[in-house]
Amino acid sequence: MGRIIEVVPHDATAWRAAFAREARALKHVFGEAVIAIHHVGSTSIPGLPAKPIIDLLVVLRETMTIGRFSSAMEALGYRVRGECLDAEVPGTPGRFYFSKDQDGRRTHHTHACAVGHVEIADKLAFRDYLRAHPSRAAEYGALKHELARRFRHDNIAYMRGKDPFIRTVLKHARQWSRGAPAAGADAV
């Protein structure tokens, strides 16, 4: 059986601390190649219910030599996933994915992109838009709860169920971010 989809109430204190700990470890792994590490995903949006999995976005100077970090990421407990282009829900070219489990439960998703990659602006715009628009975040939280109830043992269906909402919000977030002040207080 696959992972169980569990959406829990927001735990800002624990999730900020978990992000900070992991960001320090990732900074050590990626060293001088790192430009920034951002807390993204639902755990980074105050008040938003979420799967208790910390999403980190690592912005690197380049990703042509991303493989040189594989051993160090594995030593931190990560599974090196690459771009996941052939996954059931395909990844994005140029975005490299690492997942970390502890005691059989997923704890972290780390996404690494080269500076300038479109995923960086999109992930930050989505996060910042939901932070600035709590009613949209509440809609997303309700959707996540409903999908977790319906697809408790089907992560693919859960992700696909969120996709239309994410696409709609991302369209608004991109427009909004062009005129919005930065809300990146949790980047290292």
Side-chain angles (χ1 to χ4, degrees):
M1 184 182 300
R3 290 186 290 140
I4 294 174
I5 306 302
E6 177 185 27
V7 173
V8 301
H10 196 85
D11 189 346
T13 302
W15 292 344
R16 273 195 305 265
F19 162 74
R21 279 191 306 275
E22 202 67 14
R24 282 191 299 273
L26 292 172
K27 175 67 175 146
H28 181 73
V29 166
F30 291 104
E32 293 300 316
V34 171
I35 292 173
I37 302 174
H38 298 278
H39 188 186
V40 295
S42 295
T43 61
S44 71
I45 301 164
L48 181 62
K51 294 187 296 183
I53 301 169
I54 307 302
D55 284 282
L56 299 101
L57 173 61
V58 179
V59 181
L60 299 171
R61 295 184 193 293
E62 55 86 16
T63 55
M64 296 298 291
T65 60
I66 191 83
R68 67 188 165 127
F69 303 111
S70 293
S71 294
M73 288 298 282
E74 289 169 345
L76 280 182
Y78 279 94
R79 179 177 165 208
V80 177
R81 310 281 298 270
E83 294 171 294
C84 297
L85 300 178
D86 59 352
E88 194 167 346
V89 175
T92 302
R95 183 188 70 196
F96 297 85
Y97 176 60
F98 305 85
S99 61
K100 184 176 190 177
D101 295 357
Q102 187 172 22
D103 300 324
R105 295 184 74 128
R106 181 70 37 93
T107 59
H108 298 81
H109 295 148
T110 293
H111 311 267
C113 299
V115 65
H117 193 285
V118 67
E119 283 284 312
I120 299 165
D122 280 354
K123 287 190 180 306
L124 296 178
F126 185 82
R127 178 199 67 191
D128 293 348
Y129 182 84
L130 289 181
R131 285 178 174 177
H133 297 87
S135 64
R136 293 310 307 259
E139 287 177 52
Y140 190 37
L143 175 64
K144 290 162 70 71
H145 274 300
E146 173 60 20
L147 292 170
R149 184 190 64 73
R150 287 177 49 206
F151 303 115
R152 185 163 172 79
H153 299 284
D154 187 346
N155 192 52
I156 301 301
Y158 174 82
M159 289 190 305
R160 287 185 174 148
K162 294 187 313 176
D163 193 57
F165 180 89
I166 290 170
R167 287 182 190 275
T168 297
V169 169
L170 185 55
K171 179 182 171 188
H172 295 289
R174 286 173 179 146
Q175 294 169 344
W176 174 84
S177 70
R178 289 193 269 276
D186 58 356
V188 294

